Amino acid sequence: MAEGFIQSTNQKRCEEDLGNEYFMNLLSRSFSQDVKRDYTGDIVGCKMHDLIHDLAQFVAKDEYLLIKEKKEESTKDTIRHLSYDVLREDWEVPTSFLEFERLRTMLLLTHSFLCRMDHPVFDLVASKLKFLRVLNLSNSYMTKISKSIGKLKHLRFLDLSSNNIKQVPRTITKLHNLQTLNLGWNSSIRELPADISKLVSLRHLNLTCCNELERMPSNLGQLTSLQTLTNFVVDEREMHEKKASTRISELVELNNLRGSLTISGLKRLRSNPEEVESAKLKEKRHLQALSLYWDPFLFPSGEVSKNASDELILERLRPHHTIKGLLIKRFCGERLPDWIGNLVELRFLGLMDCSYLRSLPEGLRNLRSLETLSIHGCPFSADDVRQNFPHIPYVDII
């Protein structure tokens, strides 16, 4: 998508669906093989046949370049896609690649070694490589993003995952063509730019394992093209007097969401459980997996006590009946809602630290697609669960 290789003539079909069709056609012709799938059945990895790989390298030799350390660099004007294969921990990003001023792609393959893209080098990238569409700086141990990122006007795909970034500069919102922003595994990020709604082309926002994220930016709900939003943190509105709070109702218009969504901090809604219904999760028919955390972060925050409001909250968080994965953590009610028994395509159900649950829904007997029931920190014995729900192939209880 970022390179413009997917062209749709049908406005009703999104580029993601068309790209998936391309991939499945290649798979059927053995261009790709050995696919790996997640528990929802989606393909998450594959291999390319050696002969196909050799052919691809031959066909693309004038446009693609892989530079390894100590290897003489090419200066061909035709190079559009560049990768650096970094093998040493003390390697520094050279500036010689700036000769390729027509670059569309720049990948830094660091293998998790210490490789710094400091501000002076980044500023050079932003000033010289103005036509970049794809920039991958994952695993580069970055702690800050240069404000000059806003100069890359044509950028469509930006991967800053697995770094030590604490703050995303506001200038990133100048990237009006940006479709994919991957900030996953930056555990120190606390907030996103307040005016993120200016990223009008954004379709994929990956915040996986951004565990310190305190709130979502206001007007996030204006990004109605979003198909990926991995995390949504419920705001504690009595905090931050100077900043507009983000309500869970920001999710109401995001009906194109796919993949996995985690909503955390649900205990902050106990004083107003009616507000939860405004999220309209049951209208998000493309979602594959939903995780519901009552704590604001992935880790427990102190002792919990029974709370009847949690049952009202969970009742109103009913997802579309085609969801395939559901995880509930730190829920403090006594019973789960009946709608769980209507999730006819559910394959995975996880319950973690739900200390006050008295029983499991009888509707679980109707879920013939359910393959895994994982229960950790809940008052149920393995023997009782297996006896009452013998049709579930794998039951994991700790």
Side-chain angles (χ1 to χ4, degrees), residues 85-103:
D85 193 3
V86 183
L87 299 176
R88 291 187 295 112
E89 295 188 18
D90 58 348
W91 185 81
E92 294 184 0
V93 179
T95 58
S96 55
F97 64 83
L98 297 174
E99 298 174 7
F100 307 106
E101 293 190 7
R102 308 293 294 185
L103 273 186

Side-chain angles (χ1 to χ4, degrees), residues 2 23 25 29 39 68 73 75 77 86 111 117 127 135 141 164 184 198 205 217 231 236 296 315 317 364-365 372 394:
F23 176 83
N25 282 337
R29 303 172 196 274
Y39 68 89
K68 296 188 177 182
E73 298 177 11
T75 57
D77 294 334
V86 183
H111 304 286
M117 172 70 80
S127 61
L135 180 59
Y141 282 75
N164 298 313
K198 292 181 179 179
L205 178 57
N231 287 19
E236 194 166 6
E315 179 64 41
L317 286 171
L364 290 185
R365 303 179 192 277
T372 301
Y394 182 73

Side-chain angles (χ1 to χ4, degrees), residues 170-236:
R170 189 173 182 177
T171 53
I172 205 170
T173 62
K174 295 181 179 181
L175 303 178
H176 296 159
N177 290 305
L178 193 66
Q179 296 175 334
T180 299
L181 176 58
N182 188 353
L183 295 170
W185 293 276
N186 279 283
S187 58
S188 299
I189 290 181
R190 292 186 177 275
E191 60 182 340
L192 301 173
D195 49 356
I196 198 172
S197 59
K198 292 181 179 179
L199 295 176
V200 292
S201 300
L202 196 64
R203 302 166 73 90
H204 305 279
L205 178 57
N206 188 345
L207 300 170
T208 303
C209 290
C210 293
N211 299 341
E212 295 297 319
L213 199 61
E214 295 178 349
R215 65 186 69 89
M216 308 307 294
S218 299
N219 301 319
L220 180 72
Q222 294 180 14
L223 299 176
T224 54
S225 295
L226 272 183
Q227 295 192 21
T228 300
L229 177 63
T230 56
N231 287 19
F232 186 94
V233 182
V234 175
D235 200 359
E236 194 166 6

Side-chain angles (χ1 to χ4, degrees), residues 364-365 368 384-395:
L364 290 185
R365 303 179 192 277
R368 295 301 166 179
D384 288 344
V385 172
R386 291 190 179 100
Q387 183 176 354
N388 289 325
F389 306 101
H391 68 287
I392 302 176
Y394 182 73
V395 176

Side-chain angles (χ1 to χ4, degrees), residues 166-308:
K166 296 182 179 180
Q167 187 174 12
V168 181
R170 189 173 182 177
T171 53
I172 205 170
T173 62
K174 295 181 179 181
L175 303 178
H176 296 159
N177 290 305
L178 193 66
Q179 296 175 334
T180 299
L181 176 58
N182 188 353
L183 295 170
W185 293 276
N186 279 283
S187 58
S188 299
I189 290 181
R190 292 186 177 275
E191 60 182 340
L192 301 173
D195 49 356
I196 198 172
S197 59
K198 292 181 179 179
L199 295 176
V200 292
S201 300
L202 196 64
R203 302 166 73 90
H204 305 279
L205 178 57
N206 188 345
L207 300 170
T208 303
C209 290
C210 293
N211 299 341
E212 295 297 319
L213 199 61
E214 295 178 349
R215 65 186 69 89
M216 308 307 294
S218 299
N219 301 319
L220 180 72
Q222 294 180 14
L223 299 176
T224 54
S225 295
L226 272 183
Q227 295 192 21
T228 300
L229 177 63
T230 56
N231 287 19
F232 186 94
V233 182
V234 175
D235 200 359
E236 194 166 6
R237 284 173 291 158
E238 54 267 30
M239 299 171 63
H240 23 274
E241 299 174 357
K242 298 181 180 180
K243 297 184 179 180
S245 64
T246 302
R247 297 189 175 189
I248 196 170
S249 58
E250 291 288 337
L251 293 171
V252 64
E253 298 294 336
L254 304 184
N255 289 333
N256 292 317
L257 290 181
R258 306 182 178 200
S260 301
L261 170 64
T262 295
I263 304 177
S264 59
L266 287 168
K267 69 179 183 181
R268 293 171 171 171
L269 294 171
R270 285 170 174 164
S271 60
N272 186 20
E274 292 77 13
E275 183 183 345
V276 179
E277 194 144 10
S278 63
K280 304 279 186 193
L281 292 186
K282 62 182 178 182
E283 296 182 7
K284 297 168 184 22
R285 60 189 181 89
H286 301 296
L287 267 184
Q288 295 285 293
L290 178 66
S291 297
L292 303 172
Y293 297 154
W294 261 253
D295 278 306
F297 312 121
L298 291 180
F299 304 102
S301 56
E303 296 295 326
V304 295
S305 57
K306 185 167 61 175
N307 196 305

